Amino acid sequence: MSRQRSWQRRDQILQMAAHNGLASVEELSTKLGVTPSTIRRDLALLTTQGKLARTYGGALSLEPHPEASLRQRLGEAYAAKQAIAAWAAEQIVPGESILLDAGSTTAALAQLLSGFSNLSVSLIGLTALEVLAEAERIEVVLLGGRLRTLSQSFVGPVTESALERMSFDRAFMGADGVRADRGINEKDLEQTRLKELMMSRADHTYVLAHGAKIGQAPFHAWALMPSRWTLVTDSSAPTDEVARFRDRGISVVVVDAPPPAPSML
């Protein structure tokens, strides 16, 4: 099995241990299609890395909500993300300066922007950069900084210093979770500090978050929101949570996402 697949398998083990509380060697072996000895080696490595605590027959996650990598998130809620990105692209006017956060939904937006002309797009994420690298009719600015591997994004003082010298017509933000009373939820304070600075440099802020992220708070770091911003989500978002945003005077756009294609298996 390739190294990439080994890391994917270990990511799945962390997710299963967190969601189920306890994952046995036998259960993991069956679900992941590998031998028990392979699972035991994975568990030993994850324990050494401080991500799991070994128990009799299996492992317990030390992170109640382990952060998913960008690679894992790219295939989640695909139709919803495409619909959200399509709405966002329609708001952009030629000649504007746009700021894209890192994330799978903003990467979908970058794909749509590749056909634009007379546009400046600033990025903090490698996925969007890969999409726009050959877009000859738009200006692409990579802000740089320290690479955060899980999110494939740049963070830290170098990124912040670049932002302080720029301004934007529109900023399109991602989120691990978003709540009406607290704002954007992320894994750590370095991310939330950067997001606050990004939003402060834009005339219009949009948070692009599919329905499963609305009202959720998987972590404990929060980005405070500007006085006016727009939440863009899809029709799977809980109606009571959407109402909480609107009750606070936050503009909410709910797009219709086509249902997922039926499985052929």
Side-chain angles (χ1 to χ4, degrees), residues 31-45:
K31 289 189 175 181
L32 299 177
V34 295
T35 64
S37 61
T38 298
I39 293 298
R40 291 190 185 95
R41 286 195 295 271
D42 287 340
L43 295 178
L45 177 60

Side-chain angles (χ1 to χ4, degrees), residues 78-135:
Y78 179 81
K81 292 174 183 178
Q82 293 296 314
I84 291 168
W87 183 91
E90 291 175 354
Q91 313 313 305
I92 297 171
V93 177
E96 289 187 330
S97 178
I98 305 301
L99 176 60
L100 290 188
D101 196 2
S104 52
T105 308
T106 51
L109 175 56
Q111 188 71 56
L112 297 175
L113 296 184
S114 62
F116 276 57
S117 59
N118 189 23
L119 200 66
S120 175
V121 183
S122 295
L123 315 167
I124 66 163
L126 289 181
T127 306
L129 175 63
E130 183 177 0
V131 170
L132 294 173
E134 297 184 8

Side-chain angles (χ1 to χ4, degrees), residues 133-186:
E134 297 184 8
E136 297 180 353
R137 295 179 294 175
I138 65 175
E139 178 186 57
V140 178
V141 180
L142 180 65
L143 298 183
R146 180 179 64 81
L147 180 63
R148 191 172 185 274
T149 307
L150 266 178
S151 58
Q152 292 290 283
S153 63
F154 292 100
V155 295
V158 174
T159 319
E160 295 169 10
S161 178
L163 279 168
E164 288 169 351
R165 290 161 172 77
M166 305 173 74
S167 64
F168 308 93
D169 295 296
R170 305 177 196 274
F172 295 94
M173 311 299 299
D176 285 328
V178 57
R179 282 179 41 169
D181 58 338
R182 293 186 178 180
I184 291 176
N185 184 242
E186 292 291 337

